[in-house]
């Protein structure tokens, strides 16, 4: 499978590959967003406290049958991006905080680690959400929670257009393979033509899709409205249970407790 | 729009790139008629259909649907009456699931949810795609996409059905289904097609186009018997069809 095929599969799996669970998507969305907010309140100087927060993505993904390994793998894609955000901390902030095995640990490295953990936690929480609801359900949940329909529609269109772009790339890639007679490398000039063609084709395709939308009465301000099904007891239990766990993970001094236990 | 006729009066159309696709088309399609639009690749069939739906506007001349001249202002109203099946189903399907895609039109018409649901089910069942309702359109086979694309239009219950190559990529069973749908549709139908057999079976009348002009218009049976005309238009009969026409 080429990289393009893999990307298409991954994109579709965001929706169709989801291992759906019987909890209302709105509640799952609230828990996931609440979790992200709590993660962001952990001070950057205390990465140790963040480690325990991984309990949420791990338990959620394992219990739902998604598997933490899958979520972990998916989340590693954005690691370079997060690293880029925190890159300057170790360089700029060289105040020493501790000496571990002869190496001086600076404030900058500590906050860098905290940024990495925060980023990973947030991304994993959202990945767990799409993996247990499906992309479309997350969009629906957003609207049911009061997010304007126009934003939700945009989000779904964005998802669709990434798909269009990838599909165009795929068909061009196949056409090239079919006539390439096994040739592996192409000069840079051909790559730039390839990219230019891809853009042109995507724009043409997007125009045709837009025509098809117009043909079916789309007027730019009529959006998808979904009904709001009522919540069940299990949804409420899920919400309260996780709220308690997340708050405990955040505010109970687990590290201090453990080191006490060990040094005693 | 009580009378579902379509009238093209001296219609010209040039694409922004300068390509002159239609060079003066005059045509009247009456209410309840089933018309096949025949012609080689690039003859201008798709362009003519897009003009019918107000998706393109003529650079010269006029298109009327019922008593309404198609213009930028009337286009939304015209599109409610004219349902269009696109040549490439990949362009027509854009929602995350088949169900949502078929519901897109009715939702835009602001129908109540129960009515939307009813129409989606009827449309999907009539093309035999009800079982696909939860699938992603992009994951379907070419023929399945085609069937769903037709359902997206049927769910809007149009008065005029305009189809661009609806039978390409269909297996014989789905093709039969499509023919049955068109047969049961009691309003106006225009089908651009290379499938002469389907044209003969479904459409009593045919219009043959070449280089942006209409070169023949009449009974399908008679046109398909006219060897000279077929040669001029670049059309050729399959052996089975030739045999049938002979009789
Ligand atoms: N988007 C476009 N931009 C520029 N020219 C176009 C465009 N679409 C079609 N044309 C040109 O307009 C002419 C008529 O095209 P049209 O698509 O209407 O033909 P068609 O009869 O539907 O052909 P086919 O049987 O291949 O579908 C062709 O010469 C074509 O090259
Ligand atoms: Mg065409």
């Amino acid at each position: 499978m080429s990289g393009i095929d893999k990307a298409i599969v991954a994109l579709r799996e965001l929706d169709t590959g989801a291992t759906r669970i019987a909890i209302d998507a709105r509640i799952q969305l609230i828990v996931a967003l609440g979790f992200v907010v709590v993660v962001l309140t952990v001070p950057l100087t205390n990465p140790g406290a963040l480690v325990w927060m991984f309990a949420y993505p791990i338990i959620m993904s394992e219990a739902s049958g998604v598997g933490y390994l899958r979520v972990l793998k998916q989340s590693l894609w954005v690691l370079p991006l997060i690293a880029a955000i925190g890159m300057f901390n170790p360089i700029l902030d060289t105040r020493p905080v501790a000496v571990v095995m002869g190496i001086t640990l600076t404030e900058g490295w500590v906050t860098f680690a905290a940024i990495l953990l925060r980023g990973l936690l947030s991304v994993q929480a959202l990945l767990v959400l799409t993996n247990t609801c499906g992309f479309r359900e997350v969009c629906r949940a957003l609207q049911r929670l009061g997010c304007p329909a126009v934003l939700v529609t945009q989000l779904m269109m964005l998802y669709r257009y990434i798909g269009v772009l990838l599909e165009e790339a795929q068909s061009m890639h196949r056409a090239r393979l079919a006539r390439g007679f096994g040739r592996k490398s192409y000069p840079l000039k051909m790559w730039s033509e390839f990219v230019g063609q891809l853009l042109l084709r995507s724009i043409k395709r997007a125009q045709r899709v837009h025509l098809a939308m117009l043909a079916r009465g789309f007027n730019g301000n009529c959006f998808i409205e979904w009904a709001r099904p009522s919540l069940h007891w299990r949804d409420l239990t899920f919400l309260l249970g996780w709220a308690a766990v997340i708050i405990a993970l955040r505010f109970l001094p687990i590290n201090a407790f453990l080191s006490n236990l060990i040094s005693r | 729009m009580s009378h579902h006729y379509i009238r093209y009066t001296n219609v010209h159309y040039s694409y922004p790139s300068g390509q002159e696709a239609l060079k003066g088309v005059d045509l009247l399609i009456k209410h309840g008629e089933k018309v096949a639009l025949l012609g080689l690749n690039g003859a201008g069939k798709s362009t003519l259909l897009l003009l019918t739906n107000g998706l393109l506007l003529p650079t010269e001349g006029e298109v009327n649907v019922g008593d309404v001249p198609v213009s930028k202002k009337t286009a939304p109203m015209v599109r409610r009456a004219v349902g269009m099946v696109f040549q490439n189903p990949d362009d027509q399907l854009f929602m995350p699931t088949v169900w949502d895609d078929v519901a897109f039109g009715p939702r835009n018409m602001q129908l109540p949810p129960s009515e939307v649901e009813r129409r989606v089910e009827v449309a999907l069942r009539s093309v035999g795609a009800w079982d696909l309702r939860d699938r992603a359109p992009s994951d379907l086979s070419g023929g399945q996409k085609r069937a769903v694309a037709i359902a997206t239009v049927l769910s809007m219950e149009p008065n005029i059905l305009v189809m661009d190559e609806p039978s390409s990529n269909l297996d014989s069973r789905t093709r039969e289904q499509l023919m049955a749908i068109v047969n049961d549709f009691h309003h106006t139908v225009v089908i651009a097609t290379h499938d002469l057999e389907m044209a003969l079976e479904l459409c009593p009348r045919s219009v043959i186009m070449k280089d942006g002009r209409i070169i023949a218009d009449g009974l399908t049976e008679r046109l398909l018997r006219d060897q000279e005309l077929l040669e001029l238009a670049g059309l050729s009969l399959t052996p089975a069809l030739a045999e049938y026409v002979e009789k």
Side-chain angles (χ1 to χ4, degrees), chain A residues 30-39 53 56 239-252:
Chain A
I30 292 175
V31 170
L33 292 182
F35 174 79
V36 171
V37 170
V38 170
V39 162
M53 305 298 279
Y56 170 73
L239 177 66
L240 295 177
W242 270 116
V245 172
I246 292 170
I247 290 171
L249 288 172
R250 166 69 180 88
F251 294 106
L252 288 186

Side-chain angles (χ1 to χ4, degrees), chain A residues 54-68:
Chain A
F54 277 96
Y56 170 73
I58 291 175
I59 294 175
M60 270 301 289
S61 52
E62 287 299 330
S64 62
V66 172
Y68 184 63

Side-chain angles (χ1 to χ4, degrees), chain B residues 41-42 44-47 87 164-165 192 194:
Chain B
N41 294 132
K45 305 182 294 292
S46 299
T47 310
Q87 180 157 4
D164 204 345
E165 320 252 357
H194 294 284

Side-chain angles (χ1 to χ4, degrees), chain A residues 40-227:
Chain A
L40 294 181
T41 66
V42 177
L44 279 183
T45 49
N46 189 10
L50 281 169
V51 174
W52 298 104
M53 305 298 279
F54 277 96
Y56 170 73
I58 291 175
I59 294 175
M60 270 301 289
S61 52
E62 287 299 330
S64 62
V66 172
Y68 184 63
L69 196 65
R70 176 178 160 142
V71 172
L72 180 68
K73 269 194 203 152
Q74 289 174 338
S75 71
L76 291 182
W77 282 94
V78 291
L79 200 58
L81 204 73
I82 307 169
I85 295 171
M87 203 165 62
F88 287 103
N89 286 35
I91 302 168
L92 297 179
D93 194 347
T94 50
R95 283 174 293 163
V97 279
V99 179
V100 181
M101 289 185 288
I103 301 166
T104 318
L105 208 58
T106 66
E107 185 85 24
W109 281 109
V110 171
T111 50
F112 179 67
I115 288 173
L116 280 191
L117 292 179
R118 265 189 186 180
L120 274 183
L121 280 168
S122 310
V123 169
Q124 286 183 7
L126 296 180
L127 282 171
V128 165
L129 183 68
T130 49
N131 272 307
T132 56
C133 296
F135 188 80
R136 185 170 55 114
E137 274 307 310
V138 175
C139 290
R140 287 187 176 184
L142 273 172
Q143 184 176 4
R144 285 173 180 150
L145 286 172
C147 186
V150 50
L151 287 184
V152 176
T153 307
Q154 295 263 325
L155 198 61
M156 291 181 74
M157 288 297 156
L158 182 71
Y159 179 70
R160 162 74 191 158
Y161 275 98
I162 296 173
V164 166
L165 194 71
L166 287 175
E167 276 164 30
E168 286 297 336
Q170 183 187 41
S171 69
M172 281 174 69
H173 178 67
R174 284 190 183 147
R176 207 170 45 109
L177 282 184
R179 284 178 290 163
F181 302 105
R183 184 173 170 183
K184 282 265 158 48
S185 70
Y186 288 86
L188 194 64
K189 182 168 169 294
M190 261 166 90
W191 276 106
S192 62
E193 279 166 6
F194 189 72
V195 171
Q197 272 299 314
L198 176 63
L199 277 180
L200 263 179
R201 285 175 59 151
S202 305
I203 292 170
K204 283 257 175 211
R205 175 93 179 267
Q207 278 172 346
R208 291 197 305 268
V209 170
H210 185 232
L211 278 188
M213 293 173 68
L214 289 178
R216 283 195 274 153
F218 185 72
N219 52 18
N221 52 28
C222 173
F223 297 96
I224 311 147
E225 294 277 355
W226 284 296

Side-chain angles (χ1 to χ4, degrees), chain A residues 1-16:
Chain A
M1 234 181 359
S2 74
I4 300 171
D5 294 326
K6 275 189 200 147
I8 290 181
V9 169
L11 189 75
R12 286 191 191 146
E13 282 210 330
L14 267 185
D15 194 58
T16 53

Side-chain angles (χ1 to χ4, degrees), chain B residues 21-22 38-47 208-213:
Chain B
L22 295 179
L38 308 176
L40 283 185
N41 294 132
K45 305 182 294 292
S46 299
T47 310
I208 302 182
M209 293 185 71
K210 191 185 181 192
D211 295 331
R213 287 192 184 88

